[in-house]
Amino acid sequence: MTASVAAPTGQKLEWLARIGYASRALVYILAGLLSLSAALEGGRSAGPKGAFGKVIQVPFGDILLYCIALGLICFAVWRTTQAIYDPDRFNRGPSSALRRLIVYGGSAFIHFGLAVAAINVAFVKRSADEDREARDWTAWLLSQPFGRALTMIVGLGIAIAGLAFVFQAFKAEFRKNLMEYKNEKKWILTLGRIGFAARGVVFILVGCFLIIAGWFHDPRQATGVAGALKAMQNSDFGAPLLAVTAAGLFCFGLFELGQAVWRRIAPASNLSAVMQMARAHRQRGARELRRDLSGALLLLDGTRFHLPG
């Protein structure tokens, strides 16, 4: 008998999500500003992890980093909830569930890692080398059986994610998640389009560098977000290209801040009601359970959902 994973209930889920979006916003706003400064005045560009090294230098920076880490953990929990329970109820079927586990589960893993990085910087009072971490991780992956193929597959996956972000910038499906406030929604949509495009370009570069590292079996070719921004900076059109991308990351941070306020978070009571009913009727027949769940969703949403089977 498998153990069930408890879902956050009540207002807890909404607060986790909104705090998480706000913390994620702060990370991207800082990374965008630092990289924009590097483009305009020279110096080193910074990815999300590099921004932590600047935060620790300000008064009470360690306390701020711990708060950011807590917010990122909240966001990781929200992503995990999306992956397992689909509280927004946008996707149906086994293939959709698999996509949720890959996309949202991967996002949860990444943001939990960012939280750990923020705590580490606050503890040791210095920033880690983001590109060195990427090279060390790539070296470990290359040392595994079928390491070259695995490294190239991971790089391809990151590049495909970048292309999906660029596609999202044009399609703007995220608008379905926003509350119906016309004035706010217009500027959030604009910021979201710019931000997703910038993130897409960065992810494509990171993925391509990882594919090259796998092809040549050379972990030194791998890089993180900071390295991808540095590659832009060192190109023929370095300063303008980096400035545009950095501004896009800054816009993504503002978009996430908008989501923290105006994103439509599915009422947690809907989610908990369905889960509680499933637990209460676990011993009953499958046909009766499907009927009860359909009735609950009809009552909560006013929309009839037909369960498979």
Side-chain angles (χ1 to χ4, degrees), residues 19 23 26 61-73:
I19 292 172
S23 297
L26 183 57
D62 53 344
I63 297 176
L64 180 56
L65 278 177
Y66 286 127
C67 291
I68 291 174
L70 179 60
L72 291 172
I73 291 173

Side-chain angles (χ1 to χ4, degrees), residues 95-251:
S95 61
S96 296
L98 180 60
R99 287 198 299 271
R100 288 201 318 273
L101 287 174
I102 294 173
V103 176
Y104 291 137
S107 179
F109 178 80
I110 290 171
H111 287 89
F112 182 77
L114 281 176
V116 172
I119 293 172
N120 182 63
V121 171
F123 186 74
V124 303
K125 300 294 189 294
R126 61 182 176 83
S127 179
D129 188 336
E130 186 176 348
D131 289 332
R132 182 176 179 180
E133 289 181 356
R135 290 192 293 268
D136 290 345
W137 178 85
T138 305
W140 174 84
L141 188 59
L142 285 170
S143 67
Q144 304 306 306
F146 308 103
R148 289 183 62 187
L150 287 174
T151 302
M152 294 175 68
I153 289 172
V154 172
L156 181 62
I158 294 174
I160 291 174
L163 291 173
F165 288 148
V166 174
F167 181 74
Q168 180 71 279
F170 289 97
K171 198 170 182 181
E173 287 187 344
F174 52 81
R175 76 179 72 195
K176 296 185 296 186
N177 300 335
L178 299 175
M179 297 179 186
E180 295 295 335
Y181 294 115
K182 293 183 179 179
N183 293 333
E184 291 86 348
K185 197 170 182 180
K186 285 182 180 179
W187 66 261
I188 292 178
L189 283 176
T190 302
L191 291 172
R193 289 179 187 275
I194 297 172
F196 272 105
R199 285 189 78 211
V201 170
V202 172
F203 269 62
I204 290 170
L205 283 176
V206 171
C208 288
F209 280 124
L210 196 55
I211 292 172
I212 294 171
W215 181 264
F216 291 103
H217 204 279
D218 183 4
R220 293 173 299 177
Q221 302 296 327
T223 186
V225 173
L229 295 172
K230 184 179 179 181
M232 292 183 188
Q233 192 175 11
N234 294 335
S235 65
D236 293 338
F237 301 98
L241 185 59
L242 178 60
V244 170
T245 306
L249 295 177
F250 177 76
C251 287

